[in-house]
């Protein structure tokens, strides 16, 4: 099969320090999500927060969405160096609040601040990828980012499980506060001093407000207390997000590149596929550990490692296909989307049985689907954009992923609470939640597959013919 460029090309021309910083920033986000999923049963027992179980993730992701959506604009205004350091500091403050919080509300407020800081860090990393790496290196850069997730998938559950089983879950957040300070310091060392920003860069406050309202409406669905109210709030949230995309296309200051609302373009179909596939996958990571602890009798550490197989599969699959070019990227986009749907469907079948092997297989299929397709979807989006849209287009990938994560976590929480999870995880409740957390989002996964199928069928340069030549990355 044809092969792409070398790793020396990725790290050449002074890009190595930036590459290291990107990996450090992604590590914070990746490890945070896996560690928190592992310790949440302990947090729920300690703070009496079972009714708000999903909000530990949804609140973090709500903050991440708002931050990630503004990352491209803030990078222009303040420069990557200062913006990344400040974002890491804010994340550290949120970690301190969660670590020291005496009640569930303080804990959740800390999670929101962690989400804002972490979302900015990851968003600025996406901007750096879009601006500082040539198009030919993008599959390898995204494969490396996936490898960071793979390392986090091994260490995250270990960290969370050891602290949870020892009854010291608060120390997880103290350790992440220290790491965030280190990332902030690294930003000053590894990013160019000349990144001063543009003081006149404006913010898209209207679109950001619509995103916040949309995700908040979906998140409130899990507290609505009935199927009708939960469904109505979810529909309102989705409608607000669609209005945001429509408005953004016509706004003077945009969060997404031109064509993002048109499924006929690479950006439109790519963003839709990434949003829907991400939303459909969130139930696995948010509720998988708790379901396995309840139904299979696993310890927090063991349950965390089973669920972490999704991230391991993503990493391995991404590294296997990173060198493919020609027709193969489109084929991998399509195959990966199909596998993601199969993974969600398998989860609905195996989790109610408490089968550890079944849950592991479902996670491997789900993660493998993302690993085969994600880097190529991102590459196809970025290479379709003009130089003007490159920064916001790169940040848009993070915005879409985080919005999908927040919406998916909220929908999973709504489905779980309607089965009775808000009153505690008994065997009967866990079996019911094991079905509906995944069955409720199966249509969403199918929608993501359809968008990815269209993206995979586009010629690699289809959108470039309409928008002009592919931009040269800024140095």
């Amino acid at each position: 099969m044809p092969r792409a460029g070398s790793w020396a090309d990725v790290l050449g021309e002074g890009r190595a320090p930036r590459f290291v910083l990107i990996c450090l920033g992604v590590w914070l986000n990746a490890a945070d999500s896996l560690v928190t999923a592992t310790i949440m049963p302990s947090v729920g027992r300690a703070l009496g927060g079972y009714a708000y179980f999903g909000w530990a993730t949804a609140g973090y992701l709500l903050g991440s969405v708002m931050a990630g959506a503004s990352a491209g604009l803030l990078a222009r205004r303040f420069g990557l160096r200062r913006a990344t350091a400040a974002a890491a500091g804010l994340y550290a403050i949120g970690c301190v609040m969660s670590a020291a919080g005496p009640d569930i509300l303080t804990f959740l407020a800390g999670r929101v601040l962690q989400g804002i800081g972490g979302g900015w860090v990851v968003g600025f990393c996406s901007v750096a990828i879009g601006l500082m790496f040539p198009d030919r290196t993008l599959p390898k850069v995204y494969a490396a980012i996936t490898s960071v997730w793979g390392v986090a998938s091994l260490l995250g559950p270990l960290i969370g499980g050891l602290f949870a089983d020892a009854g010291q879950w608060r120390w997880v957040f103290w350790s992440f506060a220290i790491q965030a300070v280190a990332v902030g310091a690294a930003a000053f060392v590894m990013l160019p001093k000349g990144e001063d920003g543009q003081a006149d860069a404006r913010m898209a406050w209207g679109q950001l407000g619509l995103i916040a309202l949309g995700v908040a409406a979906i998140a409130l669905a899990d507290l609505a207390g009935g199927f009708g109210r939960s469904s109505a709030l979810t529909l309102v949230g989705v409608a607000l997000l669609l209005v945001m995309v429509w408005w953004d296309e016509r706004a003077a200051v945009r969060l997404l590149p031109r064509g993002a609302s048109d499924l006929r373009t690479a950006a439109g179909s790519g963003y839709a596929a990434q949003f829907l596939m991400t939303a459909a996958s969130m139930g696995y990571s948010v509720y998988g550990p708790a379901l396995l602890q309840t139904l299979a009798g696993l310890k927090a550490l063991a349950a965390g490692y089973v669920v972490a197989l999704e991230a391991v599969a993503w990493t391995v699959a991404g590294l296997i296909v990173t060198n493919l070019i020609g027709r193969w990227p489109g084929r991998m986009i399509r195959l990966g989307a199909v596998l993601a749907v199969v993974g969600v469907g398998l989860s609905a079948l195996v989790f109610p049985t408490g089968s550890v092997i079944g849950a592991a297989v479902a996670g491997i299929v789900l993660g493998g689907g993302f690993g085969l397709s994600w880097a190529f979807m991102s590459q196809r989006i970025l290479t379709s954009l003009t130089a003007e849209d490159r920064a916001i287009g790169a940040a848009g990938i993070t915005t879409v992923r985080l919005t999908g994560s927040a919406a998916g976590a909220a929908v999973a929480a709504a489905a779980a609470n309607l089965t009775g999870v808000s009153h505690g995880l008994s065997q009967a409740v866990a079996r019911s939640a094991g079905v509906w957390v995944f069955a409720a989002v199966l249509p969403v996964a199918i929608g993501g597959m359809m968008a990815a199928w269209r993206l995979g069928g586009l010629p690699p340069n289809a959108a470039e013919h309409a928008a002009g030549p592919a931009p040269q990355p800024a140095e």
Side-chain angles (χ1 to χ4, degrees):
M1 294 182 183
R3 308 184 71 82
S6 66
W7 284 103
D9 189 22
V10 174
L11 302 176
E13 301 177 0
R15 289 188 288 269
R18 304 164 187 176
F19 179 80
V20 171
L21 180 59
I22 288 168
C23 291
L24 290 172
V26 171
W27 158 261
L28 272 186
N29 184 264
D32 180 287
S33 61
L34 291 164
V35 170
T36 303
T38 304
I39 67 172
M40 272 312 297
S42 299
V43 176
R45 287 191 294 270
L47 301 181
Y50 274 112
Y52 302 92
F53 200 104
W55 277 71
T57 300
Y60 176 88
L61 291 172
L62 177 59
S64 295
V65 167
M66 294 300 296
S70 61
L73 299 174
L74 288 174
R76 286 180 179 175
R77 183 159 189 168
F78 298 105
L80 283 172
R81 186 184 187 214
R82 287 182 294 174
T84 303
L90 183 61
Y91 176 87
I93 293 172
C95 287
V96 170
M97 288 183 62
S98 292
D103 52 49
I104 191 65
L105 294 180
T106 305
F107 174 84
L108 293 176
R111 290 295 290 161
V112 172
L113 287 183
Q114 289 170 54
I116 295 172
W120 271 332
V121 169
V122 174
F124 296 142
C125 288
S126 292
V127 173
I129 291 173
L131 294 181
M132 298 179 179
F133 289 85
D135 292 343
R136 64 183 180 275
T137 67
L138 292 179
K140 287 189 178 297
V141 174
Y142 283 112
I145 297 306
T146 298
S147 298
V148 175
W149 275 89
V151 173
S153 70
L154 296 175
L155 297 182
L158 175 63
I159 296 169
L162 290 175
F163 279 114
D165 291 340
Q168 300 294 330
W169 60 266
R170 294 179 186 273
W171 280 98
V172 167
F173 296 102
W174 288 116
S175 70
F176 274 98
I178 295 171
Q179 293 174 66
V181 172
V183 168
F188 274 100
V189 175
M190 298 179 181
L191 286 178
K193 295 182 179 180
E195 293 284 346
D196 294 328
Q198 304 170 11
D200 59 346
R202 294 183 294 167
M203 294 294 294
W205 294 113
Q207 296 96 303
L208 289 171
L210 285 173
I211 290 176
L213 290 174
V215 175
I218 296 172
L220 287 172
D222 73 326
L223 302 177
F227 178 78
R229 289 191 291 271
S230 294
S231 299
L233 282 170
T234 300
L235 291 175
V236 168
V238 171
L240 287 170
L241 293 176
L242 291 175
V243 170
M244 188 285 296
V245 174
W246 177 86
W247 184 1
D248 190 70
E249 188 72 24
R250 294 155 179 80
V253 181
R254 290 175 289 111
L255 291 178
L256 299 173
R258 290 185 177 87
S261 63
D262 188 350
L263 293 178
R264 296 171 297 179
T265 68
S269 57
Y271 285 142
Q274 291 183 330
F275 173 84
L276 295 171
M277 289 171 60
T278 300
S281 71
M282 286 303 296
Y284 189 90
S285 58
V286 174
Y287 285 96
L291 293 174
L292 289 173
Q293 288 179 60
T294 303
L295 295 175
L298 298 183
K299 293 286 189 179
L301 177 60
Y305 268 119
V306 172
V307 172
L309 288 174
E310 179 197 10
V312 173
W314 186 331
T315 299
V316 173
L319 290 174
I320 288 174
V321 302
T322 184
N323 290 315
L324 298 180
I325 57 175
R327 295 181 179 271
W328 285 100
R331 294 170 179 172
M332 292 300 103
I333 289 172
R334 288 180 165 182
L335 176 59
V338 171
L339 289 178
V341 173
V342 173
V344 173
L346 278 176
S347 297
L349 295 176
V350 301
F351 268 99
T353 70
S355 170
V356 175
I357 294 177
V361 170
I364 290 171
V365 173
L366 181 61
F370 277 93
L372 293 178
S373 60
W374 191 269
F376 294 126
M377 287 194 290
S378 300
Q379 181 191 34
R380 195 154 286 193
I381 291 170
L382 289 179
T383 57
S384 75
L385 302 179
T386 63
E388 178 188 2
D389 279 345
R390 186 80 173 204
I392 61 172
I397 293 174
T398 298
T399 300
V400 168
R401 179 180 62 81
L402 292 174
T403 305
S405 297
V411 169
N417 280 354
L418 287 174
T419 66
V421 170
S422 59
H423 303 294
L425 268 175
S426 66
Q427 290 271 332
V429 168
R431 281 193 292 270
S432 180
V435 174
W436 291 107
V437 162
F438 304 104
V441 295
L442 192 55
V444 177
I446 293 172
M449 180 187 69
M450 294 172 64
W453 198 269
R454 180 173 184 82
L455 177 66
L458 291 174
N461 297 325
E464 295 175 32
H465 295 326
Q472 295 298 315
E475 292 294 340

